[in-house]
Amino acid sequence: MLPEPYQRTLLLVVSALLLCLPVILGPYGIHLMNLAMLAVIGAVGLNILTGYCGQISLGHASFIAIGAFLTATLSQRYGMPFWVTLPASCLLGALIGFVVGLPALRFRGIYLAITTLTLHYAIIYLLTAYQTAYGAAATAGIVVEPPRIAGFSLDSDLAWFYVLFAFAAATVFIGLNIARSYMGRAFIAIRERDVAAATLGINVTRYKLLAFMISAALAALTGSLTAYFTSVVTVEEYTLELAILYLAMIIVGGMGSIIGAVFGAIFMTLLPFMIDEIFQYLPRQYRYGTTLFGVQHAVIGVVIIGFLLVEPRGLIEVYRRLASYFERWPFRYREMKGG
Amino acid sequence: MRLLRSSILAIAAAAMAAPATAQELKLGYVTDLSGPLAGSYTPTWEGFDIYMQARNEDGGIAGATVDIALDDDGLRADRSVAAARKQIDRNRVIGIFGLSLSSTHAATLAETRKSGVPVVTAFSAIAEALPPAQDYYYSTGVMFEMAGEAIAELTGEIAAEGKVVGVTFDSVGGRAALTHNRLAAEELGYDWGEVIFPVRTADFTPFAQSVNEAAPDVVVGHYGAEQNLGMIAALRAAGYDGPYVIASYGASEATAAQAAQQAGSDENIYMVSRFAPASEEVEGMQALRDAAAAYGVNNPTSMHVTGWVLGAVVADALERCGTECDPEGLNAALQETSVETGGLTGGPITFSGDDHYGTSYWRLYKWDGTNLVAVGDWLAKDGLDFDIESN
Amino acid sequence: MELVINTLVLGAIYSLLAAGIVVIYKASRVVNFAHGEFAVLGAYLYFSLSQAMPGVPAILVVVLVTAICAALGATLYHVLMRRLVGRPPFVAAMVTIGLAIILKAAIVIGWESRSVGLNLTRIVLIDYGRGFRLTLIEAITIVTCIAAFTGIFAFFRYASLGRQFRGVAESALLASQRQVNINLILALAWALALGSAVIAGVLFGGRSILTPQSVFIGLSGLTAALVGGLDSFRGALFGGFLVAAATYLTARLVDPSLAEAVPFVLLLAVMLWRPWGVFGTREELNRV
């Protein structure tokens, strides 16, 4: 994984820096990073499904919603602690992922995307009915108490930073391992030509379903953590726009690359806030109004199109080019190995 | 443990805080300034803003000038939370006001409560403001459930009996409003029908025809300003010419005017609102009109009045809190609120330790082609009449 | 009776939208997710133009805005879509999604998220009281749909350009070797798509109010095209009316709040039965 010694040192240095990040950033910055790390978990999940396995899914937002709602229900209605709700959400996510994956076996490409879109609407419709039936208290959303460990309640941004960092790191680690394993190679084979993959002895059905299940489980985990983090679960937050945002994350980051998903997630999460900051420099009358909103939205579209046209391999490719430039320097190209 | 931690944080924060420049009271305002409902929320902000500007010019509040940090949440809960966090940490505000859609309130509240910063919302409200009230959350806005009940009672001014058809879109809040409307209307002896359409409906024709088919004597619309326009056009096209009541979740006289234009006629358009339209000749309105003219707000509406009243309530609390006001002090002061509005709404805005909503006043207005004119008197609502069970 | 009329009108609009999607797919195998945005943007443009030219009769403004949008479509192809030739079809689809986002944002920026009423004629042709009404605009909508589809069928069967079009759709490489100007044909496809979109948008806006949220009709149009078959105009006509009928009947007779989900359920059912649409050509589904 890290052939060159300098890469191992780099990893250690970067990790140490990341852990010390809260000191540099203010509480607001920490909050933003927390949002980004939540997105990382979901983005890695989507990348496994769409980037590695090639199954286009527009249903990611509904998986996140499922995780959030189950967590809210279990923790609020049944008083279950987080170490029950989190795994439970992942399991339910995997189950729903399995169900959604079934029609996927029949379809590819655009038809698959449409199928997942239909299922997204179905799930959201059911969840809306659920939230309405939950009770008058849920009109504005189900309130979720922060998770507790031995009397210590997790509700400060700083504490969340380290918790989410752990989750994100674990997710990336799992993702990288999957990518390098037989499963990952099977996924890639299916993406390239599933018919050919079948002739190579890969059980296409099983791996497609697995991809859906893993992706949905990670999405549900994101939803579950988000429920605790924002303390509120309401169905209006889980829109098609959210699903498209996640797709944008993996396109920008680089499809088929776990680290790329990390880049993409951080980039797309922070983008609206960066635009906000830029707009602050404009005179008051231009600062607000529908223009700001329009620009923030347009930017997502511009970024999608821009990356697809110019850098279809995503930010990870930019990183690789930079890395190899420094590795080769001062030479222009790599040496040939062997005779 | 939590007290110790927050004390340490508070001391650290105070130590790191830059001293306020020459007696400033820092307030935060977060709302939807750029999203789909900006047309409703921006005027409310303007009303608040011109009130504060007028007070600043007049010597400030408790001897200090008010400085407002404004942030946009684009109607999204996560941005509302991020904006609140930024205002508390970077701008050091002692209170956050405004907010937007009720679905963003709970999340934002969870965030502001961590720092003990009180929130007063102007536009929508969630039931947490009713007794037993949640800490740090107050509202002068429209609560779905309350609006539903108020409208049922005010329907009496249009028709003493008959069939009422309530229409809403398929959202949790809309359904709640409709439920309370139904319960109250049925108790008053009305027949009830309802139509619920998907949130993103672009073509209202089938729903309007369902409404028409139910043969209503009065139709009530519980949704945002925009849907009223589409619905009334479709209703008139379907052949329903009877009374149509706009429930004001952000609708104002401007909405009524546009609705009349869409409908092709000024007839039978009503609105129920907590605050008077700017054309009303009451004592408190002149100050608002003067401020609007002075600070470049053309055509003030009942939405500006909403923001103005919020400004008055906040200013009153600040006065009692004093120049060195901090979040705890402001929160304590808010709990003793009793502010006269000079006719801008039916009675004083009152908050107490247990009740952060107070008695709310609602009135029915009719569109006469140029203005909204009051029909009947103010209706006082002191809490919800119906309690929909549950957990 | 009004059930029939409204279904016909809605069906006409959906069919028109579906046709716009089909024309692009037929020529280039690209699924256009931005069609609803095209339609609504065009309708907003119509609004602004008609405000800017108060004396001019509506029909002329419609012609003008259609011409503008057609030109825009051709430009869009030339500048953007042309560069995606040879890339996996998923890429083109994602680009249209990105385009949809940008166009919707453009509407929000350009018209400040305002709802506008197009105020097309309010003339009522037949009025027998509650439910028995036919307005002029509804009649025009249905007639336009008939005229448009007649034109489409005629064009593709008889006009030489139409035959070239079919050639490009079959095999672009072979067509180019027979001196068919591929770029011209594809630009024409995009121009036709945008032109028909704006007409559909204006007709839609004439029935009710227009807001940035109206772009949702694009999804209905896409569903209609998928149900009928992405590469079949007959399918577009059929799909449009089927989706309209299903939506309308559900909204009126079953439960209004389900109306949004009906097109998708219908689509899922059709796809499970015949994935390439009722009238579509059976194709290796590995296309995209």
Side-chain angles (χ1 to χ4, degrees):
Chain A
M1 182 141 119
L2 299 173
E4 316 263 343
Y6 85 86
Q7 284 182 333
R8 281 189 273 265
T9 333
L10 190 60
L11 180 66
L12 272 162
V13 170
V14 167
S15 305
L17 271 176
L18 283 174
L19 286 170
C20 298
L21 209 52
V23 176
I24 315 169
L25 306 168
Y28 180 54
I30 297 177
H31 185 85
L32 292 184
M33 280 313 294
N34 285 342
L35 289 175
M37 288 192 287
L38 279 168
V40 163
I41 302 172
V44 168
L46 187 62
N47 210 350
I48 291 177
L49 179 63
T50 304
Y52 277 91
C53 198
Q55 308 297 301
I56 310 171
S57 167
L58 285 172
H60 214 58
S62 58
F63 296 137
I64 301 178
I66 287 172
F69 270 88
L70 186 68
T71 304
T73 310
L74 287 179
S75 77
Q76 298 308 111
R77 267 250 168 91
Y78 301 101
M80 295 195 187
F82 71 93
W83 43 266
V84 170
T85 63
L86 250 53
S89 299
C90 290
L91 279 170
L92 184 63
L95 182 64
I96 304 289
F98 180 83
V99 170
V100 171
L102 287 171
L105 297 173
R106 257 202 95 167
F107 304 119
R108 295 192 198 87
I110 187 67
Y111 296 97
L112 177 57
I114 298 288
T115 313
T116 55
L117 182 65
T118 315
L119 292 164
H120 160 89
Y121 280 116
I123 293 175
I124 296 297
Y125 177 79
L126 289 170
L127 288 175
T128 309
Y130 178 75
Q131 191 177 336
T132 312
Y134 194 86
T139 309
I142 306 173
V143 179
V144 178
E145 298 284 313
R148 309 188 113 78
I149 318 175
F152 168 72
S153 165
L154 185 64
D155 60 0
S156 83
D157 268 323
L158 188 62
W160 271 106
F161 181 85
Y162 291 109
V163 168
L164 288 175
F165 187 84
F167 271 102
T171 308
V172 170
F173 184 71
I174 294 175
L176 284 171
N177 269 303
I178 290 179
R180 315 185 124 261
S181 70
Y182 179 78
M183 205 191 295
R185 291 197 295 273
F187 286 157
I188 295 175
I190 294 174
R191 176 186 76 202
E192 295 300 316
R193 260 294 181 212
D194 56 354
V195 177
T199 64
L200 288 174
I202 297 176
N203 187 337
V204 173
T205 304
R206 176 212 243 180
Y207 283 103
K208 274 189 184 176
L209 286 174
L210 255 176
F212 265 96
M213 287 168 69
I214 295 175
S215 161
L218 283 171
L221 181 63
T222 308
S224 181
L225 289 169
T226 310
Y228 281 121
F229 182 67
T230 55
S231 308
V232 143
V233 171
T234 180
V235 72
E236 284 110 340
E237 290 291 310
Y238 303 104
T239 59
L240 184 60
E241 280 81 14
L242 185 65
I244 292 180
L245 185 68
Y246 271 95
L247 271 177
M249 283 180 203
I250 63 173
I251 289 176
V252 164
M255 292 176 56
S257 157
I258 302 290
I259 306 288
V262 175
F263 286 167
I266 298 178
F267 184 79
M268 294 307 293
T269 309
L270 297 182
L271 194 56
F273 296 105
M274 290 197 282
I275 296 178
D276 234 342
E277 290 288 312
I278 297 175
F279 263 69
Q280 293 300 323
Y281 290 108
L282 293 176
R284 244 275 193 123
Q285 68 254 43
Y286 300 111
R287 211 182 295 164
Y288 301 105
T290 44
T291 314
L292 172 61
F293 184 73
V295 169
Q296 284 174 325
H297 259 238
V299 150
I300 299 178
V302 169
V303 156
I304 292 177
I305 295 182
F307 270 87
L308 284 172
L309 281 181
V310 173
E311 186 63 86
R313 295 244 188 91
L315 286 172
I316 190 71
E317 184 64 16
V318 176
Y319 165 78
R320 284 184 192 137
R321 277 209 292 257
L322 268 172
S324 79
Y325 176 83
F326 284 109
E327 277 170 25
R328 285 178 277 132
W329 191 85
F331 301 108
R332 291 261 303 278
Y333 46 85
R334 291 180 182 278
E335 59 173 318
M336 262 182 37
K337 305 237 189 285
Chain B
M1 180 60 190
R2 198 197 282 207
L3 184 56
L4 179 62
R5 235 172 347 110
S6 25
S7 326
I8 294 177
L9 278 171
I11 294 171
M16 288 196 290
T21 36
Q23 312 282 348
E24 265 185 358
L25 288 166
K26 291 188 181 292
L27 306 179
Y29 199 98
V30 178
T31 191
D32 177 21
L33 296 163
S34 62
L37 296 184
S40 304
Y41 288 106
T42 313
T44 312
W45 148 250
E46 286 176 352
F48 184 83
D49 190 32
I50 59 177
Y51 180 89
M52 289 302 173
Q53 285 190 55
R55 287 300 295 260
N56 274 343
E57 275 214 8
D58 219 10
I61 300 178
T65 46
V66 169
D67 180 40
I68 311 175
L70 178 65
D71 271 292
D72 174 28
D73 71 359
L75 218 58
R76 295 188 30 194
D78 59 338
R79 291 196 51 194
S80 181
V81 169
R85 176 98 328 251
K86 167 180 155 299
Q87 289 187 343
I88 295 173
D89 294 319
R90 291 232 224 126
N91 304 96
R92 311 235 157 273
V93 299
I94 56 176
I96 293 186
F97 310 99
L99 295 197
S100 64
L101 216 53
S102 53
S103 54
T104 64
H105 290 198
T108 314
L109 216 52
E111 189 66 27
T112 55
R113 239 182 305 149
K114 292 181 199 171
S115 312
V117 172
V119 169
V120 188
T121 70
F123 191 109
S124 4
I126 55 180
E128 270 73 346
L130 296 175
Q134 266 247 357
D135 272 339
Y136 303 108
Y137 178 74
Y138 307 81
S139 178
T140 62
V142 171
M143 195 181 291
F144 286 114
E145 298 89 336
M146 195 75 77
E149 292 182 8
I151 290 177
E153 295 178 48
L154 287 170
T155 310
E157 302 280 351
I158 306 176
E161 54 174 20
K163 183 148 188 199
V164 177
V165 172
V167 193
T168 187
F169 53 26
D170 199 355
S171 73
V172 185
R175 282 182 181 267
L178 218 57
T179 310
H180 283 257
N181 199 167
R182 170 174 57 86
L183 290 169
E186 283 176 344
E187 172 144 316
L188 289 167
Y190 290 99
D191 291 318
W192 176 263
E194 59 186 43
V195 172
I196 302 179
F197 56 82
V199 177
R200 251 168 326 188
T201 301
D203 179 22
F204 291 92
T205 329
F207 310 106
Q209 292 187 328
S210 291
V211 172
N212 196 28
E213 208 170 64
D217 295 297
V218 179
V219 175
V220 181
H222 286 275
Y223 27 62
E226 194 175 272
Q227 276 93 351
N228 282 300
L229 305 180
M231 185 50 104
I232 202 172
L235 277 172
R236 299 291 187 236
Y240 174 74
D241 290 312
Y244 176 78
V245 182
I246 301 172
S248 172
Y249 304 105
S252 66
E253 48 266 51
T255 318
Q258 272 186 294
Q261 206 197 26
Q262 282 303 305
S265 131
D266 292 323
E267 293 300 308
N268 272 328
I269 295 179
Y270 295 83
M271 192 163 91
V272 169
S273 168
R274 263 194 80 172
F275 297 101
S279 54
E280 193 120 309
E281 292 298 339
V282 288
E283 192 191 316
M285 203 58 82
Q286 196 50 48
L288 187 152
R289 292 204 202 114
D290 291 338
Y295 301 113
V297 171
N298 303 319
N299 303 320
T301 67
S302 59
M303 284 291 105
H304 292 94
V305 176
T306 311
W308 180 271
V309 169
L310 177 69
V313 167
V314 173
D316 170 76
L318 286 172
E319 296 243 316
R320 284 178 286 115
C321 180
T323 325
E324 302 295 321
C325 197
D326 67 349
E328 278 305 321
L330 183 58
N331 192 38
L334 279 167
Q335 295 187 6
E336 322 223 323
T337 299
S338 177
V339 174
E340 289 291 343
T341 61
L344 297 180
T345 184
I349 306 278
T350 52
F351 299 144
S352 68
D354 203 34
D355 186 354
H356 295 181
Y357 195 67
T359 310
S360 53
Y361 298 88
W362 307 74
R363 202 173 200 180
L364 181 71
Y365 292 89
K366 187 166 197 248
W367 179 252
D368 74 352
T370 344
N371 290 315
L372 280 174
V373 176
V375 176
D377 204 359
W378 288 100
L379 170 74
K381 287 286 296 174
D382 209 351
L384 289 173
D385 293 328
F386 299 93
D387 187 10
I388 317 238
E389 88 11 337
S390 134
N391 62 318
Chain C
M1 180 58 191
E2 45 83 13
L3 215 71
V4 173
I5 294 175
N6 280 294
T7 309
L8 283 177
V9 173
L10 203 61
I13 295 176
Y14 285 168
S15 305
L16 216 49
L17 287 170
I21 294 175
V22 167
V23 80
I24 293 179
Y25 187 82
K26 243 179 122 67
S28 62
R29 288 280 184 273
V30 170
V31 180
N32 179 15
F33 280 93
H35 206 65
E37 282 77 359
F38 289 155
V40 174
L41 183 62
Y44 268 93
L45 274 171
Y46 167 84
F47 172 74
S48 293
L49 280 176
S50 64
Q51 298 285 90
M53 305 188 287
V56 181
I59 189 75
L60 285 180
V61 185
V62 170
V63 170
L64 178 62
V65 83
T66 309
I68 294 177
C69 285
L72 270 168
T75 317
L76 188 65
Y77 167 73
H78 193 76
V79 164
L80 186 61
M81 303 310 292
R82 207 168 44 123
R83 296 172 206 279
L84 299 169
V85 174
R87 305 275 287 275
F90 162 70
V91 171
M94 271 314 287
V95 166
T96 61
I97 291 181
L99 202 56
I101 296 176
I102 295 178
L103 287 176
K104 178 155 178 222
I107 295 173
V108 166
I109 296 177
W111 285 270
E112 280 164 19
S113 230
R114 263 190 310 163
S115 321
V116 301
L118 290 184
N119 287 326
L120 299 175
T121 163
R122 252 184 251 281
I123 304 174
V124 180
L125 286 181
I126 310 171
D127 191 351
Y128 291 126
R130 248 185 193 161
F132 231 111
R133 273 174 168 229
L134 177 68
T135 60
L136 182 60
I137 189 67
E138 290 175 338
I140 291 179
T141 308
I142 299 177
V143 167
T144 310
C145 172
I146 298 175
F149 273 92
T150 316
I152 288 173
F153 290 131
F155 175 74
F156 280 95
R157 183 169 267 216
Y158 301 116
S160 86
L161 209 56
R163 283 196 294 267
Q164 292 183 10
F165 207 100
R166 282 158 61 194
V168 169
E170 279 289 322
S171 167
L173 185 59
L174 288 176
S176 68
Q177 293 183 328
R178 296 278 278 168
Q179 270 116 32
V180 169
N181 187 342
I182 312 280
N183 279 328
L184 177 67
I185 298 292
L186 288 170
L188 181 65
W190 280 88
L192 277 173
L194 255 81
S196 64
V198 73
I199 294 176
V202 168
L203 288 171
F204 177 79
R207 266 162 81 67
S208 104
I209 201 149
L210 208 60
T211 87
Q213 310 303 323
S214 306
V215 298
F216 192 60
I217 53 173
L219 218 45
S220 305
L222 183 61
T223 314
L226 282 161
V227 163
L230 272 178
D231 65 343
S232 157
F233 284 110
R234 234 178 315 166
L237 194 59
F238 171 78
F241 281 96
L242 186 61
V243 170
T247 312
Y248 206 79
L249 289 171
T250 312
R252 294 281 279 122
L253 302 176
V254 181
D255 178 1
S257 50
L258 286 175
E260 187 178 55
V262 161
F264 294 110
V265 172
L266 187 63
L267 181 59
L268 204 54
V270 169
M271 294 235 289
L272 286 172
W273 168 50
R274 270 173 86 95
W276 44 88
V278 176
F279 286 96
T281 42
R282 182 190 212 111
E283 49 177 336
E284 181 205 337
L285 286 180
N286 202 20
R287 280 307 191 153
V288 182

